[in-house]
Amino acid sequence: MTSAPTDKKKLFLLDAFALIYRSYFAFANNPRINSKGLNTSAIFGFTNTLLEILNKEKPTHIAVVFDTAAKTQRHVDFTEYKANREEMPEDLSLALPYIFKLIEGFNIATISYDGFEADDVIGTLAKKAEQHGYITYMMTPDKDYGQLVSENIFIYKPARMGNGAEILGVEEICKKWEIERVDQVIDILGLMGDKVDNIPGIPGVGEKTAMQLIKDFGSIENVLQNTDKLKGKLKEKVEANVDKAILSKKLATIIIDVPVDVDEEQLIRKDLNKEMLSELFKELEFRQLASRLLGEDIPGKLENESATKKKKDTNQIDMFALASDTSQEAEATEEPVVYKTAETVLHNYILVTTAEERTELVNKLMQQKSVCFDTETTDLDTFFAELVGMSFSFKENEAYYVAVPADKQEAQQIANEFKPFFESESIEKIAQNIKYDYMVLLNYGVTVKGKWFDTMLAHYLIQPDMRHGMDVLAETYLGYQPIQIDSLIGKKGKNQLSMRDVELEKIKEYAAEDADVTFQLKQKFEPLLNETFTKSIFETVEIPLVPVLAQMEAEGVNVDVKSLEVFSQELATDIAVIEKEIIELAGTNFNIASPKQLGDILFEVLKIDEKAKKTKTGQYATGEEVLAKLVNKHPIINKILDFRELVKLKNTYVDALPLLINSKTGRIHTSYNQAVAATGRLSSNNPNLQNIPIRTEKGRLIRKAFIPRNQDSVLLSADYSQIELRVIASLSGDAGMIEAFNNHEDIHTATAAKVWNVPFDEVTKDMRSKAKTVNFGIIYGISAFGLSERINISRTEAKEIIEQYFEKYAGVKKYMDESILKAKKDGFVETMLGRRRYLRDINSANAVVRGFAERNAINAPIQGTAADMIKIAMINTFKALNDNGFKSKMILQVHDELVFDVYKNEVETIKPLIKENMQNAIKLAVPLEVELGSGINWLEAH
């Protein structure tokens, strides 16, 4: 690392918004909220940034440089410059005035200049300061500043994730970018562009290619003058985007002659304005910071103490204030967060390799009430995963790692040795994503029994909108940063190692740490399940569902590859035909799959819509929603929509499904994810069954390829009928809806009759169709505008329909209003079983953000209750099939439908059993209806 001289004047220039945003997002998973509801994350982080510099670097001169709202020359040169930038988060915009007060309290100068960005002002000041004998540190995480460094100008990258600050000079910049001169950073940035700032660059040229081009040619200008020396697609890309390359270089160049005039006296470091900081820290509730920096004692509780008191006093929990012990510790010290690691925490991880040591460990495990375990394997696919080792922990900072050899016979012997522990009903088993470990051990004839605690699923219920990976949980709740898998086996790619290749000592530390951390997380999450009243749904729904999903994944589904091959050929023919028709309608040849070329044809050549909208990149919008509104304006539109559907069917499903067939079983095995959708719905991948098309005739044909295991079986489909409408009827208690369902009336016809005030038997097909859209749209908070767009009526008519709906179904309107009020008061809504959805933006001043949260307040209890219902149905049906000794299997779950591979001689016996368990999953105020069908493929069964 470059060592800068210390005998000169030392100037620090802070890139304000880069550092403020960094501070804000550093607490994204665990925001700091004071008792007034203000998110103080950015203020707190920025305060620590100032303290880090002032205390450790001791600058003689300092300033904080801000962008302004004024347009710059870059916006003039390229109107789309920074057009992709999202609006500042509301929490952050509310924090900005406090940050300005904070800087004023620190007696630090703030500098900005209309028409120029902060990096231009910093570049100018740094170069001027150099001429006056200063050493300048540009404090920023922004890579663009590399073009400015010199003997006396450095980038100061602030400390992050436990790593110290980094100082970059000429040597480091040239090494990083593999260049000879720092100004060549501009050329690389110009070639590769910048998605954040919307600098186009040359499309298809990434960082590595850009670096190589500048290494070969020295500058963008030389690249453009020597395109004859380039080959293939790169040559085409460069020659087709000469103007973009030149423009991008200009946009990426930091201006160093901004007419900003700063008095040197302004920049001198001054004493703190303690009176101002005292008032500010009181308002922000930075108690320990005030004590340490100002020697004052601000009365009141720490942020986390306040949250605890609130929980005790009101029996409500602000889940956004819940934090780890380390977060409390950080509040007490007001130091930047530095995570604990295996290197800093005293621990005892024991390697177990001999038969005697394993026997001793099994004996210890058998004496415990609760043990955390984890498996290390060779593959993420449980069908191919072989045990490399197993780790166990039942005491904080202590764990055991059992090495398992590659020899299958020896590995099986070791698995057998631990079988008494795993199959003990009296010992609780703790794991992170226990389904994976459960399925791996099943490969060795070991069934994990007893009570289970899955930390991933526990956290999914505690904080459904957060990520649930072990690393982020450890950092958030334990203040601990686990060993990264990349440090053992390398990054993904052909050179990545297998876990078998890792030396024993390293894998022992990594694997034992996993068990230890997960054990500690369990201690954190168990009380939180009680405090959030989600323990019941954890123990009765999510945990019992795990072995059900494991069995379904293991069973898989049979696929008719030959029928898919035939279908693929049919689709290819249909695509070719429709492509020819589109070209003829357009009157010219073009690439239909290119949104840009398609937009030009539709709106420049055919002039279908004079007011056609453009995207932020300047091309016409041609998404499905846009085209759907234009179907009556030109016959080409329907052809394009058909073309897209056929191409998607062919590429995403028909051609892809055969590639997912497992070589061992000959079947497709989807993976079900419990902890992804915040609503409680299951998701799946490889393949994503939730997206299997059903609305179009061609799309439905995909289901024809899903077939029974053999000729002795059929597929049986069991589908809830209008489940979400039945749930809203039950939640709202609306008499009209309940009556319609209890009388087994068609709900859409009943709704149409009420809304249009006509007799039931006079409802037209068009009325029913519109009522159906309203019924389902209401669940998602549809507006008059949205309804008018969806069913192609005027906004006035749509408004009247919605008003009529709420007049006839007053209970539904009352439910919607009360759901929003509850969310505003409590910060969350709940399903019938207590699954929570936290809505932080429900009281937002931003109407768009608040509206989204309000729609979730209405919809989350409905979707979540429906999700809970099918999960319970799966658990109970699975148990009934096993208890009664049926050979038939439940193999798929898609939305509100369950699919079974059923032996023909069991069909009639199983049908009532499935129906009964689905209808009795959760008792509603209306009857649940289940539609059953069977056939030689999924399409026929459905």
Side-chain angles (χ1 to χ4, degrees):
M1 180 175 286
T2 298
S3 296
T6 57
D7 57 344
K8 296 186 178 182
K9 291 178 286 187
K10 192 175 185 179
L11 169 64
F12 263 77
L13 298 172
L14 279 62
D15 185 353
F17 280 116
L19 297 171
I20 291 167
Y21 268 90
R22 172 184 169 276
S23 298
Y24 176 75
F25 286 111
F27 292 90
N29 289 327
N30 193 21
R32 301 172 60 86
I33 314 292
N34 70 4
S35 63
K36 302 178 189 70
L38 176 70
N39 185 333
T40 61
S41 302
I43 314 165
F44 175 66
F46 194 76
T47 306
N48 281 324
T49 297
L50 292 178
L51 288 173
E52 176 190 345
I53 303 162
L54 297 175
N55 294 338
K56 294 180 181 178
E57 301 301 331
K58 305 191 184 311
T60 59
H61 298 71
I62 186 170
V64 182
V65 184
F66 283 86
D67 294 303
T68 73
K71 296 291 184 184
T72 69
Q73 185 61 42
R74 293 182 181 92
H75 294 94
V76 175
D77 294 337
F78 184 50
T79 55
E80 299 303 313
Y81 180 66
K82 291 193 175 181
N84 291 342
R85 288 275 178 105
E86 293 183 6
E87 282 190 36
M88 181 181 291
E90 185 178 1
D91 281 350
L92 189 49
S93 62
L94 292 173
L96 275 182
Y98 294 96
I99 291 175
F100 278 106
K101 284 183 187 176
L102 177 79
I103 296 168
E104 188 180 350
F106 271 84
N107 255 329
I108 295 173
T110 57
I111 303 171
S112 59
Y113 199 89
D114 277 351
F116 295 92
E117 295 180 51
D119 49 4
D120 298 324
V121 176
I122 288 174
T124 300
L125 292 176
K127 294 299 180 183
K128 282 185 177 181
E130 184 173 36
Q131 295 169 9
H132 290 84
Y134 283 83
I135 295 294
T136 300
Y137 295 88
M138 306 174 293
M139 188 169 188
T140 179
D142 192 339
K143 63 182 182 299
D144 298 14
Y145 282 79
Q147 62 189 271
L148 298 170
V149 300
S150 70
E151 274 185 49
N152 302 300
I153 300 173
F154 302 87
I155 293 175
Y156 187 98
K157 291 183 75 171
R160 183 173 176 81
M161 302 293 282
N163 298 315
E166 190 178 359
I167 298 174
L168 305 175
V170 173
E171 182 183 340
E172 286 78 21
I173 295 299
C174 288
K175 184 178 179 182
K176 171 182 167 57
W177 295 102
E178 298 176 15
I179 50 181
E180 295 177 357
R181 310 180 314 275
V182 295
D183 63 278
Q184 289 175 310
V185 169
I186 307 170
D187 296 277
I188 292 173
L189 295 173
L191 287 170
M192 63 187 269
D194 188 327
K195 286 184 181 178
V196 175
D197 288 344
N198 205 32
I199 296 175
I202 294 179
V205 172
E207 182 178 308
K208 288 184 179 178
T209 304
M211 287 167 62
Q212 188 61 51
L213 285 171
I214 298 308
K215 190 184 289 187
D216 293 342
F217 297 100
S219 68
I220 280 183
E221 290 76 12
N222 282 344
V223 172
L224 300 179
Q225 288 170 14
N226 290 278
T227 56
D228 57 312
K229 296 176 184 174
L230 304 177
K231 294 179 181 178
K233 288 188 177 180
L234 180 59
K235 182 176 188 290
E236 292 174 19
K237 288 173 187 173
V238 173
E239 290 181 342
N241 293 281
V242 171
D243 291 343
K244 280 185 180 176
I246 294 170
L247 171 65
S248 297
K249 180 172 180 176
K250 183 178 181 183
L251 295 174
T253 302
I254 293 176
I255 297 165
I256 56 173
D257 58 355
V258 177
V260 58
D261 190 18
V262 178
D263 187 341
E264 195 172 344
E265 290 292 318
Q266 282 181 260
L267 304 178
I268 293 174
R269 178 180 174 179
K270 303 174 184 70
D271 293 334
L272 305 179
N273 183 334
K274 292 190 175 183
E275 187 177 339
M276 179 179 283
L277 287 178
S278 174
E279 290 302 312
L280 182 62
F281 289 165
K282 283 176 186 174
E283 187 175 354
L284 296 172
E285 299 168 13
F286 287 174
R287 182 168 68 88
Q288 294 297 333
L289 182 56
S291 173
R292 184 163 58 87
L293 194 61
L294 307 175
E296 293 184 5
D297 184 20
I298 294 176
K301 297 283 185 182
L302 294 180
E303 164 187 329
N304 293 293
E305 293 171 342
S306 299
T308 304
K309 185 175 186 297
K310 181 180 178 184
K311 282 180 272 184
K312 289 178 181 175
D313 291 349
T314 66
N315 207 26
Q316 298 169 8
I317 298 171
D318 180 0
M319 288 308 299
F320 308 104
L322 287 176
S324 66
D325 294 339
T326 299
S327 296
Q328 295 173 7
E329 185 180 311
E331 174 79 47
T333 61
E334 304 296 347
E335 291 291 338
V337 176
V338 177
Y339 292 114
K340 295 177 284 186
T341 67
E343 292 181 358
T344 62
V345 173
L346 191 63
H347 61 272
N348 183 24
Y349 295 159
I350 301 161
L351 181 62
V352 176
T353 57
T354 68
E356 292 77 13
E357 290 169 340
R358 291 194 297 270
T359 300
E360 185 181 347
L361 175 58
V362 171
N363 289 335
K364 282 183 181 178
L365 296 176
M366 296 301 291
Q367 294 169 25
Q368 307 306 316
K369 290 182 179 179
S370 180
V371 176
C372 180
F373 80 98
D374 186 39
T375 60
E376 296 304 329
T377 65
T378 57
D379 205 307
L380 291 175
D381 188 332
T382 54
F383 281 94
F384 300 96
E386 296 178 5
L387 275 176
V388 174
M390 299 178 288
S391 51
F392 304 89
S393 178
F394 46 84
K395 184 179 178 183
E396 185 175 334
N397 297 325
E398 186 175 291
Y400 300 81
Y401 177 68
V402 180
V404 177
D407 181 84
K408 290 186 178 180
Q409 197 170 350
E410 291 181 59
Q412 184 61 61
Q413 174 58 37
I414 292 173
N416 291 342
E417 290 173 20
F418 285 85
K419 198 169 185 177
F421 158 72
F422 283 118
E423 299 195 348
S424 169
E425 296 279 3
S426 62
I427 304 171
E428 180 186 46
K429 315 299 188 307
I430 306 164
Q432 166 80 8
N433 188 15
I434 200 168
K435 174 157 67 78
Y436 176 83
D437 303 292
Y438 173 80
M439 294 180 74
V440 168
L441 289 168
L442 278 179
N443 294 337
Y444 291 83
V446 177
T447 303
V448 181
K449 296 179 181 178
K451 186 180 177 183
W452 291 2
F453 192 102
D454 188 327
T455 48
M456 179 182 76
L457 296 180
H459 189 258
Y460 172 60
L461 291 171
I462 294 163
Q463 270 287 30
D465 286 292
M466 266 182 69
R467 289 179 294 152
H468 313 291
M470 192 199 77
D471 286 2
V472 73
L473 297 181
E475 289 171 4
T476 305
Y477 290 88
L478 305 175
Y480 185 93
Q481 192 170 65
I483 300 165
Q484 300 300 298
I485 185 69
D486 289 357
S487 68
L488 273 72
I489 61 174
K491 296 192 180 295
K492 286 184 180 178
K494 62 180 182 179
N495 296 323
Q496 190 178 52
L497 303 174
S498 163
M499 286 299 274
R500 286 215 189 280
D501 303 322
V502 180
E503 62 183 85
L504 209 49
E505 184 60 30
K506 281 187 178 180
I507 198 171
K508 179 260 290 182
E509 286 290 298
Y510 172 82
E513 180 191 64
D514 276 1
D516 176 22
V517 165
T518 304
F519 178 78
Q520 292 183 50
L521 287 171
K522 191 256 186 179
Q523 317 313 313
K524 294 282 183 185
F525 294 161
E526 193 162 38
L528 290 179
L529 287 172
N530 287 318
E531 290 168 11
T532 55
F533 300 97
T534 50
K535 188 173 184 180
S536 174
I537 198 169
F538 176 73
E539 292 182 339
T540 62
V541 179
E542 295 299 349
I543 289 296
L545 185 64
V546 176
V548 179
L549 297 178
Q551 181 270 319
M552 291 169 66
E553 291 179 18
E555 187 68 24
V557 60
N558 202 8
V559 172
D560 185 349
V561 176
K562 287 184 179 178
S563 75
L564 286 173
E565 289 173 353
V566 172
F567 193 18
S568 179
Q569 291 168 4
E570 291 174 2
L571 287 172
T573 302
D574 293 344
I575 289 167
V577 169
I578 204 167
E579 192 170 12
K580 186 178 178 184
E581 291 172 347
I582 291 169
I583 298 300
E584 287 174 357
L585 287 168
T588 183
N589 196 21
F590 73 102
N591 180 1
I592 303 167
S594 165
K596 185 180 187 310
Q597 291 185 37
L598 176 63
D600 290 343
I601 291 292
L602 296 181
F603 306 119
E604 296 285 349
V605 178
L606 299 178
K607 300 189 184 301
I608 290 174
D609 186 0
E610 296 290 335
K611 299 177 181 178
K613 292 181 180 178
K614 290 189 174 183
T615 66
K616 289 179 179 179
T617 57
Q619 66 187 41
Y620 289 105
T622 58
E624 188 174 339
E625 286 186 9
V626 173
L627 297 186
K629 296 172 188 174
L630 304 173
V631 288
N632 298 320
K633 296 210 171 182
H634 198 287
I636 197 172
I637 301 296
N638 264 325
K639 297 289 183 185
I640 290 164
L641 290 171
D642 290 344
F643 171 83
R644 285 181 175 177
E645 183 204 352
L646 296 178
V647 169
K648 183 177 180 180
L649 281 177
K650 186 175 187 301
N651 295 343
T652 307
Y653 300 104
V654 180
D655 293 343
L657 283 172
L659 303 177
L660 295 174
I661 292 173
N662 187 293
S663 59
K664 279 189 174 182
T665 67
R667 299 180 191 175
I668 282 178
H669 302 265
T670 189
S671 294
Y672 289 99
N673 309 307
Q674 280 175 267
V676 171
T679 57
R681 287 280 192 187
L682 290 170
S683 68
S684 65
N685 61 298
N686 292 325
N688 179 354
L689 297 176
Q690 315 299 330
N691 284 347
I692 295 283
I694 191 62
R695 292 184 180 177
T696 62
E697 185 180 346
K698 287 282 186 184
R700 282 192 289 272
L701 290 175
I702 297 288
R703 296 189 172 210
K704 198 173 179 180
F706 290 78
I707 58 175
R709 73 190 84 188
N710 54 42
Q711 292 182 344
D712 297 327
S713 300
V714 293
L715 292 190
L716 188 152
S717 167
D719 197 357
Y720 277 119
S721 173
Q722 300 168 335
I723 186 63
E724 290 185 344
L725 293 179
R726 294 172 193 272
V727 170
I728 196 172
S730 200
L731 287 173
S732 66
D734 184 89
M737 286 192 87
I738 289 173
E739 182 184 17
F741 279 123
N742 282 339
N743 292 337
H744 301 283
E745 295 173 357
D746 176 76
I747 189 64
H748 304 312
T749 304
T751 298
K754 286 181 181 293
V755 169
W756 279 279
N757 199 26
V758 298
F760 197 89
D761 56 2
E762 290 182 19
V763 171
T764 66
K765 187 177 179 181
D766 181 59
M767 286 178 182
R768 184 187 182 280
S769 176
K770 288 177 179 177
K772 182 177 180 179
T773 303
V774 175
N775 273 332
F776 287 112
I778 289 298
I779 296 171
Y780 295 94
I782 198 168
S783 63
F785 174 76
L787 182 61
S788 69
E789 292 279 300
R790 199 170 297 181
I791 58 177
N792 200 23
I793 59 174
S794 71
R795 206 175 301 181
T796 302
E797 186 182 351
K799 184 172 180 287
E800 289 172 358
I801 290 173
I802 291 174
E803 286 174 352
Q804 278 292 308
Y805 181 95
F806 285 138
E807 185 180 322
K808 303 297 183 181
Y809 292 120
V812 175
K813 182 68 169 74
K814 184 182 177 187
Y815 160 78
M816 294 169 70
D817 293 341
E818 288 178 351
S819 293
I820 292 170
L821 285 173
K822 173 180 166 52
K824 287 179 181 293
K825 174 176 170 285
D826 299 337
F828 63 85
V829 289
E830 294 175 298
T831 67
M832 291 177 73
L833 295 188
R835 182 187 300 278
R836 290 186 175 185
R837 183 77 191 273
Y838 294 93
L839 302 166
R840 252 193 101 218
D841 297 320
I842 195 69
N843 292 305
S844 172
N846 183 310
V848 175
V849 173
R850 185 178 65 254
F852 183 75
E854 288 176 350
R855 288 191 291 276
N856 272 335
I858 296 164
N859 178 248
I862 301 166
Q863 269 205 48
T865 298
D868 293 341
M869 188 176 297
I870 199 160
K871 285 178 175 179
I872 292 171
M874 292 169 74
I875 293 163
N876 293 344
T877 304
F878 176 77
K879 184 177 186 301
L881 290 176
N882 286 343
D883 288 351
N884 288 284
F886 288 110
K887 293 190 293 181
S888 301
K889 302 288 184 183
M890 182 162 54
I891 58 170
L892 296 176
Q893 184 274 335
V894 181
H895 301 303
D896 303 319
E897 177 185 9
L898 298 178
V899 181
F900 301 80
D901 196 323
V902 181
Y903 281 89
K904 290 176 181 177
N905 61 359
E906 294 180 350
V907 171
E908 295 310 315
T909 315
I910 277 180
K911 276 186 177 180
L913 180 148
I914 293 169
K915 192 167 188 174
E916 180 187 356
N917 281 295
M918 291 182 73
Q919 287 180 332
N920 294 319
I922 295 178
K923 288 293 183 184
L924 299 182
V926 299
L928 286 169
E929 290 189 8
V930 177
E931 297 171 353
L932 294 167
S934 59
I936 59 170
N937 58 55
W938 188 10
L939 179 63
E940 189 175 300
H942 188 76

